[in-house]
Amino acid sequence: MNVQTSPKLVTVDLPEAFDPRWNRIPGISVNGHTITVDPEQYFFKFTEHTWLVIPWPQVERDMLDARETADRSLEQIALDYIRANATRTDDAATVLRIGWEVYRYVFREEHLTDLGLPGIGPEQLRMLRQAGTFMALNKVELTGEISVIGPAWFFNSTTRAVFDLTDTQGDLLDEVYHGGWFNETRRLELVRAHTALGGRLVHGCQSVPDQTGGAVVPYGAPLERFRAELAAMKHEWIAAVEACRVPASR
């Protein structure tokens, strides 16, 4: 792991009991509602240990009903709100708590009817929420440098390893994460919700899903640097996640 200091263990209790198969991922320990992350084991890179966050109840009160106008786009409103309200924390447990709230809202059951995919139901939403919670720790600097990256960045590989998904099932879940929810109404919801994590959701994939996942990135960060760094290292990191998959029994 590329790390500047020796970070402490992160322990958090969340409202949802996480699947115990998360224990397959190095550095993650799950015991019901209690999650422990060992940064030295979990992260591939961990060089800047603060995150920009806004408490979820505040975002829920102020932003979830925000509407853009002819003069101000929703992205401008979100950026102004982040500038006025976000604070830095070095407490990764706080980020995980906020991340769980963000993805509890983003992947909620009321959208299932509109989604119209027979293979996606409440169980798959649970997978999406849990993966999103860990993804909240991923971090990109305003310079475009990736400063925090762990296995959950690579959404497709990680969910297949944790939840014993076939490649077909994993690709379907990845489609929901990347595309199926991204009609205009869903996009606006994502912009609002991700103010709690200090930025906007950016996918590392290009024209087709390729297991690259994504992160919440500050508005204004140059994506060229982000994508170049990811392209240089992602195959090694994805291989490490794929190695966590349990072979199917015959």
Side-chain angles (χ1 to χ4, degrees), residues 65-123:
D65 291 326
R67 296 289 184 270
E68 63 185 11
T69 69
D71 298 317
R72 295 183 73 211
S73 71
L74 188 61
E75 287 82 359
Q76 289 173 304
I77 295 169
L79 177 58
D80 289 344
Y81 188 75
I82 291 167
R83 285 174 172 167
N85 294 279
T87 58
R88 289 205 169 271
T89 181
D90 61 1
D91 181 14
T94 295
V95 181
L96 288 170
R97 289 189 196 98
I98 294 173
W100 185 85
E101 293 285 1
V102 167
Y103 291 103
R104 175 189 61 82
Y105 172 76
V106 167
F107 297 117
R108 60 195 192 277
E109 290 191 23
E110 70 183 71
H111 293 296
L112 285 174
T113 301
D114 292 337
L115 185 62
L117 291 175
I120 300 296
E123 179 65 13

Short mmCIF file of all heavy atoms in Angstrom, two decimals, residues 65-123:
data_model
loop_
_atom_site.label_atom_id
_atom_site.label_comp_id
_atom_site.label_asym_id
_atom_site.label_seq_id
_atom_site.Cartn_x
_atom_site.Cartn_y
_atom_site.Cartn_z
N ASP A 65 -34.71 18.56 -1.81
CA ASP A 65 -35.78 19.17 -2.59
C ASP A 65 -35.29 20.34 -3.44
O ASP A 65 -36.10 21.09 -4.00
CB ASP A 65 -36.90 19.66 -1.66
CG ASP A 65 -37.64 18.51 -1.01
OD1 ASP A 65 -37.79 17.47 -1.68
OD2 ASP A 65 -38.06 18.64 0.15
N ALA A 66 -33.97 20.51 -3.55
CA ALA A 66 -33.43 21.64 -4.31
C ALA A 66 -33.80 21.50 -5.79
O ALA A 66 -33.80 20.41 -6.35
CB ALA A 66 -31.91 21.69 -4.16
N ARG A 67 -34.12 22.63 -6.41
CA ARG A 67 -34.51 22.65 -7.82
C ARG A 67 -33.65 23.65 -8.58
O ARG A 67 -33.40 24.76 -8.10
CB ARG A 67 -35.99 23.04 -7.97
CG ARG A 67 -36.97 22.05 -7.34
CD ARG A 67 -37.04 20.76 -8.14
NE ARG A 67 -38.03 19.84 -7.62
CZ ARG A 67 -37.79 18.92 -6.69
NH1 ARG A 67 -36.57 18.81 -6.17
NH2 ARG A 67 -38.74 18.09 -6.28
N GLU A 68 -33.24 23.26 -9.77
CA GLU A 68 -32.49 24.19 -10.58
C GLU A 68 -33.45 25.15 -11.28
O GLU A 68 -34.65 24.89 -11.40
CB GLU A 68 -31.61 23.47 -11.59
CG GLU A 68 -32.32 22.63 -12.61
CD GLU A 68 -31.35 21.86 -13.49
OE1 GLU A 68 -30.15 21.81 -13.16
OE2 GLU A 68 -31.79 21.31 -14.51
N THR A 69 -32.91 26.28 -11.72
CA THR A 69 -33.70 27.29 -12.39
C THR A 69 -33.04 27.62 -13.73
O THR A 69 -31.98 27.08 -14.08
CB THR A 69 -33.78 28.57 -11.53
OG1 THR A 69 -32.47 29.18 -11.49
CG2 THR A 69 -34.25 28.26 -10.12
N ALA A 70 -33.64 28.53 -14.45
CA ALA A 70 -33.05 28.96 -15.73
C ALA A 70 -31.72 29.66 -15.52
O ALA A 70 -30.91 29.75 -16.45
CB ALA A 70 -34.03 29.88 -16.46
N ASP A 71 -31.47 30.16 -14.31
CA ASP A 71 -30.24 30.90 -14.04
C ASP A 71 -29.19 30.09 -13.29
O ASP A 71 -28.00 30.43 -13.32
CB ASP A 71 -30.57 32.15 -13.21
CG ASP A 71 -31.48 33.11 -13.94
OD1 ASP A 71 -31.24 33.32 -15.15
OD2 ASP A 71 -32.43 33.62 -13.32
N ARG A 72 -29.62 29.02 -12.60
CA ARG A 72 -28.67 28.23 -11.80
C ARG A 72 -28.96 26.75 -11.99
O ARG A 72 -30.06 26.28 -11.70
CB ARG A 72 -28.78 28.58 -10.31
CG ARG A 72 -28.36 30.00 -9.97
CD ARG A 72 -28.44 30.19 -8.45
NE ARG A 72 -27.37 29.51 -7.77
CZ ARG A 72 -27.45 29.01 -6.54
NH1 ARG A 72 -28.59 29.06 -5.88
NH2 ARG A 72 -26.41 28.44 -5.97
N SER A 73 -27.95 26.03 -12.47
CA SER A 73 -28.09 24.58 -12.60
C SER A 73 -28.01 23.94 -11.22
O SER A 73 -27.52 24.54 -10.25
CB SER A 73 -26.98 24.01 -13.48
OG SER A 73 -25.74 24.08 -12.80
N LEU A 74 -28.49 22.71 -11.12
CA LEU A 74 -28.42 22.01 -9.85
C LEU A 74 -26.98 21.80 -9.42
O LEU A 74 -26.66 21.86 -8.23
CB LEU A 74 -29.16 20.67 -9.94
CG LEU A 74 -29.31 19.94 -8.61
CD1 LEU A 74 -30.11 20.76 -7.60
CD2 LEU A 74 -29.95 18.57 -8.82
N GLU A 75 -26.09 21.57 -10.39
CA GLU A 75 -24.68 21.42 -10.05
C GLU A 75 -24.11 22.69 -9.43
O GLU A 75 -23.30 22.62 -8.49
CB GLU A 75 -23.88 21.04 -11.30
CG GLU A 75 -24.08 19.61 -11.77
CD GLU A 75 -25.34 19.42 -12.61
OE1 GLU A 75 -26.09 20.41 -12.81
OE2 GLU A 75 -25.58 18.30 -13.05
N GLN A 76 -24.51 23.85 -9.92
CA GLN A 76 -24.06 25.11 -9.31
C GLN A 76 -24.60 25.25 -7.89
O GLN A 76 -23.88 25.67 -6.98
CB GLN A 76 -24.54 26.29 -10.16
CG GLN A 76 -23.82 26.43 -11.48
CD GLN A 76 -24.44 27.51 -12.34
OE1 GLN A 76 -25.64 27.47 -12.64
NE2 GLN A 76 -23.63 28.48 -12.74
N ILE A 77 -25.85 24.88 -7.70
CA ILE A 77 -26.44 24.93 -6.36
C ILE A 77 -25.69 23.99 -5.42
O ILE A 77 -25.38 24.35 -4.27
CB ILE A 77 -27.94 24.56 -6.43
CG1 ILE A 77 -28.71 25.62 -7.23
CG2 ILE A 77 -28.53 24.40 -5.04
CD1 ILE A 77 -30.13 25.19 -7.57
N ALA A 78 -25.39 22.77 -5.91
CA ALA A 78 -24.67 21.80 -5.09
C ALA A 78 -23.27 22.30 -4.73
O ALA A 78 -22.83 22.19 -3.58
CB ALA A 78 -24.57 20.47 -5.82
N LEU A 79 -22.57 22.88 -5.71
CA LEU A 79 -21.23 23.39 -5.45
C LEU A 79 -21.26 24.51 -4.42
O LEU A 79 -20.46 24.54 -3.48
CB LEU A 79 -20.60 23.88 -6.75
CG LEU A 79 -19.21 24.52 -6.63
CD1 LEU A 79 -18.22 23.55 -6.01
CD2 LEU A 79 -18.73 24.96 -8.01
N ASP A 80 -22.19 25.43 -4.55
CA ASP A 80 -22.31 26.52 -3.59
C ASP A 80 -22.63 25.98 -2.19
O ASP A 80 -22.11 26.48 -1.19
CB ASP A 80 -23.40 27.51 -4.02
CG ASP A 80 -22.99 28.33 -5.23
OD1 ASP A 80 -21.79 28.37 -5.55
OD2 ASP A 80 -23.88 28.92 -5.87
N TYR A 81 -23.48 24.97 -2.14
CA TYR A 81 -23.85 24.40 -0.86
C TYR A 81 -22.65 23.71 -0.20
O TYR A 81 -22.43 23.86 1.02
CB TYR A 81 -24.99 23.40 -1.04
CG TYR A 81 -25.56 22.90 0.26
CD1 TYR A 81 -26.40 23.70 1.04
CD2 TYR A 81 -25.26 21.62 0.72
CE1 TYR A 81 -26.91 23.25 2.24
CE2 TYR A 81 -25.78 21.16 1.91
CZ TYR A 81 -26.60 21.97 2.67
OH TYR A 81 -27.11 21.52 3.86
N ILE A 82 -21.87 22.99 -0.98
CA ILE A 82 -20.67 22.34 -0.45
C ILE A 82 -19.69 23.39 0.06
O ILE A 82 -19.14 23.26 1.17
CB ILE A 82 -20.01 21.46 -1.53
CG1 ILE A 82 -20.90 20.24 -1.83
CG2 ILE A 82 -18.62 21.01 -1.12
CD1 ILE A 82 -20.52 19.48 -3.08
N ARG A 83 -19.47 24.44 -0.70
CA ARG A 83 -18.53 25.49 -0.28
C ARG A 83 -18.96 26.13 1.03
O ARG A 83 -18.14 26.46 1.89
CB ARG A 83 -18.42 26.55 -1.37
CG ARG A 83 -17.60 26.14 -2.57
CD ARG A 83 -17.67 27.20 -3.66
NE ARG A 83 -16.74 26.92 -4.75
CZ ARG A 83 -16.78 27.54 -5.93
NH1 ARG A 83 -17.72 28.45 -6.17
NH2 ARG A 83 -15.89 27.24 -6.86
N ALA A 84 -20.26 26.30 1.21
CA ALA A 84 -20.77 26.99 2.39
C ALA A 84 -20.87 26.09 3.61
O ALA A 84 -20.82 26.59 4.75
CB ALA A 84 -22.14 27.60 2.08
N ASN A 85 -20.98 24.77 3.41
CA ASN A 85 -21.36 23.91 4.53
C ASN A 85 -20.40 22.76 4.83
O ASN A 85 -20.45 22.20 5.93
CB ASN A 85 -22.75 23.32 4.28
CG ASN A 85 -23.83 24.37 4.27
OD1 ASN A 85 -24.31 24.80 5.31
ND2 ASN A 85 -24.23 24.79 3.06
N ALA A 86 -19.57 22.37 3.89
CA ALA A 86 -18.74 21.19 4.11
C ALA A 86 -17.60 21.48 5.07
O ALA A 86 -17.06 22.59 5.12
CB ALA A 86 -18.17 20.70 2.78
N THR A 87 -17.24 20.47 5.84
CA THR A 87 -16.08 20.54 6.74
C THR A 87 -15.21 19.33 6.49
O THR A 87 -15.66 18.30 5.96
CB THR A 87 -16.51 20.58 8.21
OG1 THR A 87 -17.28 19.40 8.50
CG2 THR A 87 -17.34 21.81 8.51
N ARG A 88 -13.95 19.44 6.89
CA ARG A 88 -13.03 18.32 6.72
C ARG A 88 -13.01 17.47 7.99
O ARG A 88 -13.07 17.99 9.10
CB ARG A 88 -11.62 18.81 6.41
CG ARG A 88 -11.50 19.39 5.02
CD ARG A 88 -10.08 19.33 4.47
NE ARG A 88 -10.09 19.66 3.05
CZ ARG A 88 -10.25 18.79 2.08
NH1 ARG A 88 -10.40 17.51 2.36
NH2 ARG A 88 -10.25 19.17 0.82
N THR A 89 -12.93 16.17 7.78
CA THR A 89 -12.81 15.26 8.91
C THR A 89 -11.71 14.25 8.60
O THR A 89 -11.51 13.87 7.45
CB THR A 89 -14.13 14.52 9.19
OG1 THR A 89 -13.95 13.66 10.32
CG2 THR A 89 -14.59 13.68 8.01
N ASP A 90 -11.01 13.84 9.65
CA ASP A 90 -10.05 12.75 9.49
C ASP A 90 -10.61 11.45 10.07
O ASP A 90 -9.88 10.47 10.23
CB ASP A 90 -8.71 13.09 10.13
CG ASP A 90 -8.82 13.35 11.63
OD1 ASP A 90 -9.94 13.24 12.19
OD2 ASP A 90 -7.79 13.66 12.26
N ASP A 91 -11.89 11.46 10.38
CA ASP A 91 -12.56 10.30 10.98
C ASP A 91 -13.26 9.49 9.89
O ASP A 91 -14.35 9.85 9.42
CB ASP A 91 -13.57 10.78 12.03
CG ASP A 91 -14.28 9.62 12.71
OD1 ASP A 91 -13.82 8.47 12.56
OD2 ASP A 91 -15.29 9.87 13.39
N ALA A 92 -12.63 8.40 9.47
CA ALA A 92 -13.21 7.58 8.41
C ALA A 92 -14.54 6.97 8.84
O ALA A 92 -15.40 6.69 7.99
CB ALA A 92 -12.23 6.49 8.01
N ALA A 93 -14.75 6.76 10.13
CA ALA A 93 -16.03 6.22 10.61
C ALA A 93 -17.16 7.18 10.28
O ALA A 93 -18.27 6.75 9.91
CB ALA A 93 -15.96 5.95 12.11
N THR A 94 -16.92 8.47 10.41
CA THR A 94 -17.93 9.47 10.05
C THR A 94 -18.27 9.37 8.57
O THR A 94 -19.45 9.45 8.18
CB THR A 94 -17.42 10.88 10.39
OG1 THR A 94 -17.28 10.99 11.80
CG2 THR A 94 -18.37 11.95 9.88
N VAL A 95 -17.26 9.17 7.74
CA VAL A 95 -17.49 9.05 6.29
C VAL A 95 -18.33 7.82 5.98
O VAL A 95 -19.25 7.86 5.16
CB VAL A 95 -16.15 9.00 5.54
CG1 VAL A 95 -16.38 8.91 4.03
CG2 VAL A 95 -15.30 10.22 5.87
N LEU A 96 -18.06 6.71 6.65
CA LEU A 96 -18.84 5.50 6.44
C LEU A 96 -20.29 5.69 6.87
O LEU A 96 -21.22 5.23 6.19
CB LEU A 96 -18.21 4.33 7.20
CG LEU A 96 -16.89 3.80 6.63
CD1 LEU A 96 -16.25 2.82 7.60
CD2 LEU A 96 -17.12 3.11 5.28
N ARG A 97 -20.51 6.38 7.99
CA ARG A 97 -21.89 6.62 8.44
C ARG A 97 -22.64 7.47 7.42
O ARG A 97 -23.79 7.18 7.07
CB ARG A 97 -21.87 7.34 9.80
CG ARG A 97 -21.44 6.50 10.97
CD ARG A 97 -21.68 7.22 12.29
NE ARG A 97 -20.94 6.59 13.36
CZ ARG A 97 -19.77 7.00 13.81
NH1 ARG A 97 -19.19 8.08 13.27
NH2 ARG A 97 -19.15 6.37 14.79
N ILE A 98 -21.99 8.54 6.95
CA ILE A 98 -22.64 9.40 5.96
C ILE A 98 -22.83 8.64 4.64
O ILE A 98 -23.87 8.75 3.99
CB ILE A 98 -21.82 10.69 5.75
CG1 ILE A 98 -21.84 11.53 7.04
CG2 ILE A 98 -22.36 11.49 4.57
CD1 ILE A 98 -20.94 12.74 6.99
N GLY A 99 -21.82 7.85 4.25
CA GLY A 99 -21.94 7.07 3.03
C GLY A 99 -23.12 6.11 3.07
O GLY A 99 -23.85 5.97 2.08
N TRP A 100 -23.33 5.49 4.21
CA TRP A 100 -24.47 4.57 4.32
C TRP A 100 -25.79 5.34 4.12
O TRP A 100 -26.69 4.86 3.43
CB TRP A 100 -24.48 3.87 5.68
CG TRP A 100 -25.57 2.84 5.75
CD1 TRP A 100 -25.50 1.54 5.31
CD2 TRP A 100 -26.91 3.04 6.23
NE1 TRP A 100 -26.72 0.92 5.50
CE2 TRP A 100 -27.60 1.81 6.07
CE3 TRP A 100 -27.58 4.12 6.79
CZ2 TRP A 100 -28.93 1.65 6.44
CZ3 TRP A 100 -28.91 3.96 7.15
CH2 TRP A 100 -29.57 2.74 6.98
N GLU A 101 -25.90 6.52 4.71
CA GLU A 101 -27.11 7.32 4.55
C GLU A 101 -27.32 7.74 3.10
O GLU A 101 -28.44 7.71 2.58
CB GLU A 101 -27.06 8.55 5.46
CG GLU A 101 -27.09 8.25 6.94
CD GLU A 101 -28.47 7.85 7.43
OE1 GLU A 101 -29.42 7.77 6.62
OE2 GLU A 101 -28.61 7.58 8.63
N VAL A 102 -26.24 8.13 2.44
CA VAL A 102 -26.34 8.54 1.04
C VAL A 102 -26.89 7.40 0.20
O VAL A 102 -27.84 7.57 -0.59
CB VAL A 102 -24.97 9.00 0.51
CG1 VAL A 102 -25.00 9.14 -1.02
CG2 VAL A 102 -24.55 10.33 1.15
N TYR A 103 -26.31 6.21 0.35
CA TYR A 103 -26.69 5.11 -0.52
C TYR A 103 -27.97 4.41 -0.06
O TYR A 103 -28.64 3.76 -0.87
CB TYR A 103 -25.51 4.16 -0.70
CG TYR A 103 -24.44 4.86 -1.50
CD1 TYR A 103 -23.30 5.37 -0.88
CD2 TYR A 103 -24.61 5.08 -2.86
CE1 TYR A 103 -22.35 6.07 -1.61
CE2 TYR A 103 -23.68 5.77 -3.60
CZ TYR A 103 -22.54 6.27 -2.97
OH TYR A 103 -21.62 6.97 -3.69
N ARG A 104 -28.35 4.56 1.19
CA ARG A 104 -29.69 4.14 1.61
C ARG A 104 -30.74 4.95 0.85
O ARG A 104 -31.77 4.41 0.42
CB ARG A 104 -29.85 4.36 3.12
CG ARG A 104 -31.27 4.05 3.63
CD ARG A 104 -31.43 4.50 5.08
NE ARG A 104 -31.25 5.93 5.23
CZ ARG A 104 -32.18 6.84 4.99
NH1 ARG A 104 -33.38 6.48 4.56
NH2 ARG A 104 -31.92 8.13 5.16
N TYR A 105 -30.46 6.23 0.66
CA TYR A 105 -31.38 7.10 -0.08
C TYR A 105 -31.31 6.82 -1.58
O TYR A 105 -32.35 6.70 -2.25
CB TYR A 105 -31.02 8.56 0.20
CG TYR A 105 -31.78 9.55 -0.66
CD1 TYR A 105 -33.11 9.87 -0.40
CD2 TYR A 105 -31.15 10.17 -1.74
CE1 TYR A 105 -33.80 10.77 -1.20
CE2 TYR A 105 -31.83 11.07 -2.54
CZ TYR A 105 -33.16 11.37 -2.26
OH TYR A 105 -33.84 12.25 -3.06
N VAL A 106 -30.13 6.69 -2.12
CA VAL A 106 -29.96 6.52 -3.56
C VAL A 106 -30.57 5.20 -4.04
O VAL A 106 -31.22 5.14 -5.08
CB VAL A 106 -28.46 6.60 -3.92
CG1 VAL A 106 -28.22 6.10 -5.35
CG2 VAL A 106 -27.95 8.03 -3.78
N PHE A 107 -30.36 4.12 -3.27
CA PHE A 107 -30.83 2.80 -3.67
C PHE A 107 -32.00 2.37 -2.78
O PHE A 107 -31.89 1.47 -1.97
CB PHE A 107 -29.69 1.79 -3.62
CG PHE A 107 -28.58 2.10 -4.58
CD1 PHE A 107 -27.30 2.39 -4.10
CD2 PHE A 107 -28.81 2.13 -5.94
CE1 PHE A 107 -26.27 2.68 -4.99
CE2 PHE A 107 -27.78 2.43 -6.84
CZ PHE A 107 -26.51 2.71 -6.35
N ARG A 108 -33.12 3.03 -2.95
CA ARG A 108 -34.30 2.72 -2.15
C ARG A 108 -35.36 2.05 -3.02
O ARG A 108 -35.39 2.22 -4.24
CB ARG A 108 -34.85 3.98 -1.47
CG ARG A 108 -35.27 5.10 -2.39
CD ARG A 108 -35.43 6.40 -1.59
NE ARG A 108 -36.11 7.44 -2.36
CZ ARG A 108 -35.50 8.23 -3.24
NH1 ARG A 108 -34.21 8.11 -3.48
NH2 ARG A 108 -36.20 9.16 -3.89
N GLU A 109 -36.23 1.31 -2.36
CA GLU A 109 -37.09 0.37 -3.06
C GLU A 109 -38.13 1.04 -3.95
O GLU A 109 -38.64 0.41 -4.89
CB GLU A 109 -37.78 -0.56 -2.06
CG GLU A 109 -36.82 -1.54 -1.41
CD GLU A 109 -37.53 -2.63 -0.63
OE1 GLU A 109 -38.71 -2.90 -0.93
OE2 GLU A 109 -36.92 -3.20 0.29
N GLU A 110 -38.45 2.29 -3.70
CA GLU A 110 -39.50 2.92 -4.51
C GLU A 110 -39.13 3.01 -5.98
O GLU A 110 -40.00 3.18 -6.84
CB GLU A 110 -39.82 4.31 -3.96
CG GLU A 110 -38.73 5.35 -4.17
CD GLU A 110 -39.09 6.69 -3.55
OE1 GLU A 110 -39.09 6.80 -2.31
OE2 GLU A 110 -39.36 7.62 -4.32
N HIS A 111 -37.83 2.89 -6.31
CA HIS A 111 -37.40 2.98 -7.70
C HIS A 111 -37.49 1.66 -8.45
O HIS A 111 -37.30 1.62 -9.66
CB HIS A 111 -35.96 3.50 -7.78
CG HIS A 111 -35.82 4.92 -7.33
ND1 HIS A 111 -36.41 5.97 -7.99
CD2 HIS A 111 -35.16 5.46 -6.28
CE1 HIS A 111 -36.12 7.10 -7.36
NE2 HIS A 111 -35.37 6.82 -6.32
N LEU A 112 -37.75 0.56 -7.74
CA LEU A 112 -37.71 -0.73 -8.40
C LEU A 112 -38.73 -0.86 -9.53
O LEU A 112 -38.44 -1.45 -10.57
CB LEU A 112 -37.93 -1.85 -7.37
CG LEU A 112 -36.74 -2.14 -6.45
CD1 LEU A 112 -37.15 -3.15 -5.39
CD2 LEU A 112 -35.54 -2.64 -7.24
N THR A 113 -39.92 -0.31 -9.33
CA THR A 113 -40.95 -0.43 -10.35
C THR A 113 -40.53 0.26 -11.64
O THR A 113 -40.67 -0.29 -12.74
CB THR A 113 -42.27 0.19 -9.85
OG1 THR A 113 -42.67 -0.49 -8.66
CG2 THR A 113 -43.36 0.06 -10.90
N ASP A 114 -40.00 1.45 -11.53
CA ASP A 114 -39.57 2.19 -12.72
C ASP A 114 -38.36 1.55 -13.38
O ASP A 114 -38.17 1.64 -14.59
CB ASP A 114 -39.25 3.64 -12.36
CG ASP A 114 -40.49 4.42 -11.97
OD1 ASP A 114 -41.59 4.00 -12.38
OD2 ASP A 114 -40.36 5.42 -11.25
N LEU A 115 -37.51 0.90 -12.57
CA LEU A 115 -36.30 0.30 -13.11
C LEU A 115 -36.66 -0.84 -14.08
O LEU A 115 -36.08 -0.95 -15.17
CB LEU A 115 -35.43 -0.23 -11.98
CG LEU A 115 -34.06 -0.79 -12.37
CD1 LEU A 115 -33.20 0.29 -13.01
CD2 LEU A 115 -33.37 -1.36 -11.14
N GLY A 116 -37.60 -1.68 -13.70
CA GLY A 116 -38.12 -2.70 -14.62
C GLY A 116 -37.14 -3.80 -14.98
O GLY A 116 -37.22 -4.36 -16.07
N LEU A 117 -36.21 -4.14 -14.07
CA LEU A 117 -35.30 -5.25 -14.32
C LEU A 117 -35.68 -6.41 -13.41
O LEU A 117 -35.59 -6.30 -12.19
CB LEU A 117 -33.85 -4.82 -14.04
CG LEU A 117 -33.24 -3.82 -15.02
CD1 LEU A 117 -31.86 -3.41 -14.56
CD2 LEU A 117 -33.16 -4.41 -16.42
N PRO A 118 -36.10 -7.54 -13.97
CA PRO A 118 -36.60 -8.63 -13.13
C PRO A 118 -35.56 -9.23 -12.20
O PRO A 118 -35.91 -9.83 -11.19
CB PRO A 118 -37.10 -9.67 -14.16
CG PRO A 118 -36.39 -9.32 -15.43
CD PRO A 118 -36.21 -7.84 -15.41
N GLY A 119 -34.29 -9.09 -12.52
CA GLY A 119 -33.24 -9.65 -11.67
C GLY A 119 -32.82 -8.75 -10.54
O GLY A 119 -31.90 -9.09 -9.78
N ILE A 120 -33.44 -7.58 -10.41
CA ILE A 120 -33.06 -6.62 -9.39
C ILE A 120 -34.22 -6.44 -8.42
O ILE A 120 -35.32 -6.06 -8.82
CB ILE A 120 -32.68 -5.26 -10.01
CG1 ILE A 120 -31.49 -5.43 -10.96
CG2 ILE A 120 -32.34 -4.25 -8.91
CD1 ILE A 120 -30.20 -5.87 -10.31
N GLY A 121 -33.97 -6.73 -7.15
CA GLY A 121 -34.98 -6.57 -6.11
C GLY A 121 -34.36 -6.05 -4.84
O GLY A 121 -33.23 -5.54 -4.84
N PRO A 122 -35.05 -6.16 -3.72
CA PRO A 122 -34.53 -5.64 -2.45
C PRO A 122 -33.16 -6.19 -2.07
O PRO A 122 -32.34 -5.47 -1.50
CB PRO A 122 -35.60 -6.06 -1.44
CG PRO A 122 -36.86 -6.16 -2.25
CD PRO A 122 -36.44 -6.67 -3.59
N GLU A 123 -32.89 -7.47 -2.38
CA GLU A 123 -31.60 -8.04 -2.03
C GLU A 123 -30.47 -7.36 -2.80
O GLU A 123 -29.39 -7.09 -2.26
CB GLU A 123 -31.60 -9.54 -2.31
CG GLU A 123 -30.29 -10.25 -2.01
CD GLU A 123 -29.94 -10.25 -0.53
OE1 GLU A 123 -30.81 -9.93 0.31
OE2 GLU A 123 -28.78 -10.57 -0.21
#
